[in-house]
Amino acid sequence: AQSVAQPEDQVNVAEGNPLTVKCTYSVSGNPYLFWYVQYPNRGLQFLLKYITGDNLVKGSYGFEAEFNKSQTSFHLKKPSALVSDSALYFCAVRDDSSASKIIFGSGTRLSIRP
Amino acid sequence: EAQVTQNPRYLITVTGKKLTVTCSQNMNHEYMSWYRQDPGLGLRQIYYSMNVEVTDKGDVPEGYKVSRKEKRNFPLILESPSPNQTSLYFCASSTPGGGGGETQYFGPGTRLLVL
């Protein structure tokens, strides 16, 4: 069975510092991995995804994520945090053997202090 | 503008009173899904549809029904709502392709309170 874990409920970072939001996964086949962001009172917005190829994926708003197969991780990163990055972040995974079952993590609240 | 719309955005109801939450997308997407979001649990899939008249259960389908009579619409029906269905609900759509890595587009959410 596939699963995804976001071990931190909350991450606090000072503006201008690098940020990392962690995600680990478990699938039986090859993973398709996603990051979504949710701003207050809004639906989820797509940030980036990994399907195949380069392990470092670049996405919207200066975010990137690194796929690490040996550690089964897909951590979200940004070199310099902005206050406007404060939001709820969800990691999601789909097994390549399943057409429509995507599993979301429990979410990590990112708080950037000025 | 490409979007997924949901109505109503907020709903307060009482136990047992049937309700429907509508979802519509204007992107001609084949796939549509319903999720519920609860604190500490992330998003859990309720039902999904791969095309018109094709629906299947997600992880938490109990107490919900769906239908897909038209490609653009995917209503969520609660025949007899109960307080444990109080939650934030999201509809999403996507199109196949991309080797399974298709991006989902989410509606703005419907906050439901069942008393």
Side-chain angles (χ1 to χ4, degrees):
Chain A
Q2 58 192 46
S3 65
V4 59
Q6 293 180 244
E8 301 155 318
D9 290 335
Q10 176 135 355
V11 171
N12 300 308
V13 177
E15 188 174 29
N17 283 1
L19 68 89
T20 299
V21 183
K22 295 179 180 177
C23 172
T24 58
Y25 66 90
S26 174
V27 296
S28 53
N30 293 313
Y32 301 126
L33 294 152
F34 307 82
W35 276 102
Y36 286 84
V37 59
Q38 184 181 28
Y39 297 103
N41 300 314
R42 303 282 295 276
L44 277 72
Q45 297 177 32
F46 170 77
L47 268 183
L48 51 80
K49 65 183 177 185
Y50 171 83
I51 300 176
T52 187
D54 217 350
N55 288 346
L56 185 64
V57 179
K58 293 189 184 296
S60 308
Y61 312 121
F63 283 93
E64 58 189 29
E66 186 167 11
F67 171 62
N68 188 317
K69 188 172 184 178
S70 62
Q71 296 186 6
T72 61
S73 67
F74 190 56
H75 301 332
L76 181 70
K77 300 182 180 185
K78 187 173 182 180
S80 180
L82 299 172
V83 172
S84 57
D85 293 331
S86 299
L88 188 56
Y89 290 80
F90 290 97
C91 182
V93 65
R94 168 177 286 148
D95 193 309
D96 69 350
S97 62
S98 171
S100 296
K101 288 280 277 186
I102 184 169
I103 302 295
F104 284 83
S106 55
T108 298
R109 187 163 299 282
L110 178 62
S111 178
I112 309 300
R113 60 184 183 274
Chain B
E1 180 191 352
Q3 60 182 349
V4 178
T5 57
Q6 294 178 227
N7 283 292
R9 294 289 314 278
Y10 303 92
L11 181 59
I12 301 174
T13 189
V14 296
T15 299
K17 185 176 182 181
K18 181 179 178 180
L19 67 91
T20 298
V21 184
T22 64
C23 173
S24 183
Q25 50 96 1
N26 63 0
M27 295 168 279
N28 202 36
H29 285 168
E30 285 82 358
Y31 293 168
M32 296 186 76
S33 296
W34 275 103
Y35 297 89
R36 59 178 289 173
Q37 181 181 6
D38 302 290
L41 297 176
L43 273 76
R44 294 178 292 168
Q45 192 178 55
I46 302 170
Y47 269 94
Y48 64 94
S49 169
M50 297 178 71
N51 215 323
V52 174
E53 302 292 2
V54 181
T55 63
D56 207 347
K57 296 177 180 178
D59 296 314
V60 288
E62 294 78 21
Y64 304 95
K65 284 176 56 177
V66 293
S67 68
R68 187 94 182 271
K69 294 185 171 60
E70 305 165 283
K71 198 172 186 180
R72 63 183 293 125
N73 296 324
F74 190 44
L76 179 70
I77 303 156
L78 284 72
E79 294 270 4
S80 182
S82 62
N84 64 13
Q85 293 178 296
T86 292
S87 187
L88 179 58
Y89 291 86
F90 288 102
C91 180
S93 73
S94 62
T95 192
E102 59 271 11
T103 301
Q104 292 196 77
Y105 294 82
F106 284 82
T110 296
R111 191 169 290 280
L112 173 65
L113 173 61
V114 183
L115 300 173

